[in-house]
Amino acid sequence: MKLATEFVVPWVKNAEPYSDRHMDIAWENPEIIRMMSNENLLAPSENVLDAVMQAARLGNLYPGSGPGLRQKLGEAAGLTAEHVVLGNGSTDVINFVAHTFVAPGDEAIIPVPTFPMYEARVKVAGGIVIPIPMNSCFYWDMDAILKSVSHKTKLIFICSPNNPTGNQIAEKDLLRILELGIPTFFDEAYYELENEVLSRASLIEKYPHMVVNRTFSKAFGLAGLRIGYILCDPQLASFFNRVRFPWNVSQIAIAAALAGLEDVEDQERKRQNIIQGRDYIFEKINQIPGLRAFPSEGNFVLIDASALDVASNTIRDAMAGKGIFIRPMSGHNMPKGFIRITVGTPQQNRLFIEKFQEYIRELEDK
């Protein structure tokens, strides 16, 4: 008798799963500050918690497609509810978009470093990833992107502000990509946190092959409730609705998102906390000889600590021993010594700088 594993399709066998082991480790060690996963470290507001409790009382009923939420999100973007498809977080959205466009053997262009989930879900769909390294300044290599396009290219991913580099793609360069006419997944997961908030969603009307991704995990701080969405042409939305699972977003998540949208004061509090925190970390790191922090418009800061001549994973382990989880960038195929720190509360940010400087002094004393 054959083993069940022999029936697994080849592209799933060959795919590398996206590892979320760091999340398990964080939950197993709640005393260590979580500054590694670009979560919003400010808790949901009381308004959101009240909405969650009310929705939980209807937990015996199936949710719908969130028409009220979709209408609000569509109108906020100058579009309609028909332009919005909800997902169980951005990971769900990335998955059903990939499966809509990518068949086994098709290609997806992914500038790197960026969010590794794109690559993981394309491979599970049987697609071939064409990674395009950013240039030495961590900006998109436009010539390489355009030259890599072939008849097999079915999807292009652009994250802006980009995780983990924190920078935005210039609109003129985005337009060069959109003019190709190839489905383009434009990830705006961090757009509410930009210094000057500027969404590119209005381009959908001219470029109906553009899909704009958003999430409630970052600016709104609802990562644990899992809700994301895309803005797209209604015809594309009709296909995404065929691929996504029905009831993929819980009634609790929908209620939390609606309450979060209405709580403008809490939105601004979270936004200012992140902007001030990343500026503080950026300034303090760049005062340390040999180290470099990169400007960011996300809720994180990329740090080049290669001058320490220590592996990124070693820095992570040492900082965990000092009570703070950070993210090594080795998993993003970045050079030795690159790390990423999530912006926390003012107290957490100060503690990170203090403990990181302490770690550097220990290295110097060896």
Side-chain angles (χ1 to χ4, degrees):
M1 182 180 295
K2 288 186 175 182
L3 296 174
T5 53
E6 296 181 57
F7 293 88
V8 176
V9 293
W11 48 91
V12 172
K13 283 185 178 180
N14 296 331
E16 288 291 331
Y18 179 89
S19 176
D20 58 358
R21 175 58 184 153
H22 58 288
M23 294 294 189
D24 292 338
I25 294 172
W27 282 112
E28 291 163 3
N29 297 272
E31 73 284 359
I32 302 180
I33 301 171
R34 302 166 62 127
M35 301 182 77
M36 78 295 184
S37 293
N38 296 353
E39 298 161 316
N40 193 313
L41 297 185
L42 295 182
S45 69
E46 289 299 320
N47 292 335
V48 169
L49 296 178
D50 289 344
V52 165
M53 288 304 298
Q54 290 180 27
R57 293 187 176 92
L58 300 174
N60 57 308
L61 305 176
Y62 285 111
S65 65
L69 176 58
R70 290 190 295 108
Q71 181 177 349
K72 285 183 177 295
L73 294 172
E75 289 176 352
L79 302 168
T80 69
E82 285 66 42
H83 289 83
V84 182
V85 183
L86 302 182
N88 185 24
S90 287
T91 49
D92 182 32
V93 169
I94 293 165
N95 187 59
F96 66 64
V97 169
H99 278 84
T100 300
F101 292 116
V102 179
D106 288 338
E107 295 178 353
I109 294 173
I110 305 178
V112 292
T114 194
F115 188 29
M117 189 67 69
Y118 307 146
E119 177 177 347
R121 302 325 296 173
V122 165
K123 287 184 174 179
V124 167
I128 299 170
V129 171
I130 307 298
I132 307 297
M134 289 181 158
N135 63 28
S136 59
C137 297
F138 294 126
Y139 190 79
W140 291 261
D141 187 334
M142 292 305 302
D143 289 339
I145 290 173
L146 298 177
K147 287 178 182 177
S148 68
V149 174
S150 73
H151 68 281
K152 292 184 178 180
T153 306
K154 301 299 171 62
L155 190 56
I156 300 173
F157 287 89
I158 300 292
C159 182
S160 178
N162 184 49
N163 171 22
T165 57
N167 55 331
Q168 295 189 65
I169 190 170
E171 185 159 323
K172 64 180 178 63
D173 290 329
L174 174 60
L175 293 177
R176 292 176 69 189
I177 294 170
L178 293 176
E179 287 292 338
L180 296 170
I182 295 169
T184 300
F185 187 92
F186 189 73
D187 196 338
E188 288 190 337
Y190 301 94
Y191 95 100
E192 297 102 331
L193 304 175
E194 295 167 355
N195 290 323
E196 295 183 15
V197 179
L198 175 64
S199 169
R200 308 291 172 78
S202 61
L203 294 173
I204 290 171
E205 295 191 88
K206 183 176 181 180
Y207 301 99
H209 53 284
M210 181 187 191
V211 176
V212 175
N213 177 63
R214 302 244 185 106
T215 181
F216 280 84
S217 295
K218 311 303 180 184
F220 291 90
L222 301 179
L225 291 172
R226 310 308 302 131
I227 184 160
Y229 64 100
I230 47 175
L231 300 166
C232 62
D233 180 80
Q235 284 190 313
L236 272 186
S238 71
F239 288 101
F240 296 143
N241 283 323
R242 301 179 197 187
V243 179
R244 71 171 179 87
F245 288 114
W247 314 304
N248 60 330
V249 180
S250 74
Q251 190 61 36
I252 289 176
I254 291 171
L258 281 167
L261 283 173
E262 294 170 359
D263 198 337
V264 178
E265 184 177 333
D266 185 62
Q267 287 179 45
E268 185 60 21
R269 179 175 69 95
K270 287 183 165 68
R271 172 177 159 80
Q272 291 305 319
N273 178 71
I274 288 168
I275 291 175
Q276 292 167 17
R278 74 188 179 208
D279 288 348
Y280 169 81
I281 293 171
F282 175 82
E283 178 183 348
K284 290 296 184 181
I285 291 297
N286 283 324
Q287 290 174 357
I288 301 174
L291 269 63
R292 179 186 179 188
F294 292 81
S296 173
E297 297 204 51
N299 65 342
F300 55 86
V301 177
L302 178 67
I303 299 171
D304 176 3
S306 56
L308 301 179
D309 196 27
V310 177
S312 303
N313 287 352
T314 302
I315 300 174
R316 173 201 61 195
D317 294 344
M319 291 302 295
K322 294 180 179 297
I324 301 174
F325 281 128
I326 65 169
R327 192 69 175 268
M329 290 290 96
S330 51
H332 288 66
N333 296 313
M334 298 195 76
K336 174 183 176 181
F338 274 71
I339 58 174
R340 190 192 66 203
I341 181 76
T342 300
V343 176
T345 65
Q347 180 183 7
Q348 290 168 339
N349 299 333
R350 287 193 296 270
L351 184 62
F352 162 70
I353 294 296
E354 175 188 323
K355 294 297 182 182
F356 194 43
Q357 290 175 325
E358 180 182 284
Y359 170 62
I360 293 171
R361 288 194 296 270
E362 291 170 357
L363 287 175
E364 293 171 343
D365 291 341
K366 285 185 178 180

